[in-house]
Amino acid sequence: MPNIKSAKKRVLIAKENAERNRAYKTELKTIIKKFDAAIAGGNRDEANSAYKVAVKAIDQAVTKGILHKNTAARKKSSVTLKLNKLA
């Protein structure tokens, strides 16, 4: 446990940031699962709209510092390949 006042503040801020990051990651996983469900359903229009939402969410996660850019590129590539297989 920190003794210095500024260190105590940093602990609290780090905790808040970790919770926020966890929420963003959870939301991103949910969006990708919705895309996977649309692919499993075989509905091309629904899959296209879910694809756009997923790619946008992945890009926003990189901007916010939640995902590394290479991880995001891998996820976007995986999503794109799934969409193209549906066609």
Side-chain angles (χ1 to χ4, degrees), residues 7-87:
K8 290 178 183 178
K9 288 180 184 179
R10 291 306 309 165
V11 168
L12 294 176
I13 291 171
K15 184 178 179 182
E16 290 173 6
N17 289 342
E19 289 174 4
R20 188 179 307 116
N21 291 345
R22 190 177 313 116
Y24 284 139
K25 279 189 176 184
T26 303
E27 183 181 355
L28 181 64
K29 288 177 188 176
T30 303
I31 289 170
I32 292 174
K33 285 179 187 176
K34 286 180 182 177
F35 170 76
D36 288 339
I39 290 290
N43 187 349
R44 180 71 180 185
D45 295 332
E46 187 180 334
N48 275 333
S49 62
Y51 172 77
K52 289 178 184 177
V53 171
V55 169
K56 183 176 180 181
I58 291 169
D59 287 337
Q60 286 176 341
V62 172
T63 304
K64 292 177 182 179
I66 307 301
L67 291 179
H68 190 272
K69 64 179 184 174
N70 291 349
T71 303
R74 185 180 69 245
K75 287 184 183 293
K76 288 188 338 187
S77 174
S78 172
V79 167
T80 304
L81 287 173
K82 288 178 186 177
L83 183 68
N84 289 342
K85 278 187 179 179
L86 184 63

